Amino acid sequence: MKLVLASASPRRKELLAQIGVQFDVSPVDICEDVKPGEQPVPYVKRVALAKAQAGYDKVEQQRAVLGADTTVVLDGNIIGKPQNKTDAVNILMSLSGRTHQVITAVAVVCREQIYSCVVTTRVKFRTLSREECDRYWETGEPTDKAGSYGIQGLGAIFVDSIEGSYSAVVGLPLSETAELLKLADVEIWHT
């Protein structure tokens, strides 16, 4: 079964390639707004499935389509991508010295079947200064990232520890994704 990644995320492309999956990329444009009262896990599951389904609807039906969504959660509240520098710095300062959750949902749609999972990782930040958060914004890295940081990039210096899947924080939990792909007859470790 051939795979289509319904995402333009360079991080998800790199992670899939890391486990030897051959795939095409076909980004989809769906509304990712949080519905009133929507909790974090149902939210990421809904968005991941919507991406996979939208991708599946536009490709030939002999393909499996993977959609994923990652969100940062602090005190039960979903923290999205920053709107501007002030927002990013405020988000980072709210994470400073605290533990938050990064929740990633993955959905694979194939032959009218849906395979999905949700992975939660706990991330603890060291204490940050407002000055370093300002300087981090100037790097350009936090602009398109939930929680205003990239653990796989310059933002790694903020992370004191993680409990769970590193790759899920980056955007795609590899072990769980490989299991879903096996269910959909998508080959991994393709040589």
Side-chain angles (χ1 to χ4, degrees):
M1 180 67 61
K2 293 186 178 182
L3 181 68
V4 174
L5 174 62
S7 172
S9 165
R11 293 164 298 280
R12 291 192 177 110
K13 288 189 259 186
E14 289 169 8
L15 288 166
L16 274 178
Q18 181 180 329
I19 59 171
V21 176
Q22 291 191 339
F23 60 95
D24 293 321
V25 176
S26 182
V28 295
D29 186 23
I30 64 157
C31 178
E32 296 185 35
D33 294 344
V34 180
K35 295 179 179 180
E38 192 169 29
Q39 295 299 304
V41 170
Y43 165 72
V44 293
K45 286 174 72 172
R46 176 180 61 80
V47 173
L49 179 56
K51 289 176 181 178
Q53 191 63 60
Y56 188 74
D57 290 345
K58 72 180 202 177
V59 299
E60 52 189 87
Q61 301 304 298
Q62 294 304 314
R63 313 276 313 255
V65 178
L66 184 147
D69 191 59
T70 301
T71 196
V72 171
V73 178
L74 181 66
D75 298 329
N77 298 311
I78 296 170
I79 300 175
K81 297 174 184 175
Q83 300 299 310
N84 51 42
K85 178 180 181 178
T86 301
D87 190 31
V89 170
N90 288 338
I91 289 169
L92 290 168
M93 291 304 296
S94 72
L95 300 175
S96 175
R98 301 187 63 202
T99 299
H100 60 275
Q101 293 76 42
V102 178
I103 304 173
T104 298
V106 181
V108 177
V109 177
C110 170
R111 294 185 297 266
E112 304 301 321
Q113 295 290 317
I114 298 169
Y115 307 102
S116 65
C117 69
V118 176
V119 174
T120 301
T121 302
R122 294 171 48 86
V123 180
K124 182 178 184 214
F125 267 24
R126 65 172 171 78
T127 301
L128 310 178
S129 72
R130 188 165 291 279
E131 178 188 348
E132 70 184 325
C133 294
D134 285 337
R135 287 181 47 226
Y136 180 54
W137 172 263
E138 299 303 326
T139 69
E141 187 173 272
T143 58
D144 67 339
K145 302 203 176 34
S148 301
Y149 75 96
I151 195 170
Q152 74 287 352
L154 300 172
I157 67 167
F158 298 152
V159 178
D160 188 39
S161 63
I162 70 168
E163 184 181 320
S165 171
Y166 172 82
S167 63
V169 179
V170 177
L172 199 63
L174 291 180
S175 176
E176 294 83 356
T177 298
E179 291 302 314
L180 297 180
L181 294 176
K182 287 178 193 175
L183 292 172
D185 295 323
V186 174
E187 188 176 349
I188 59 168
W189 297 339
H190 188 77
T191 56

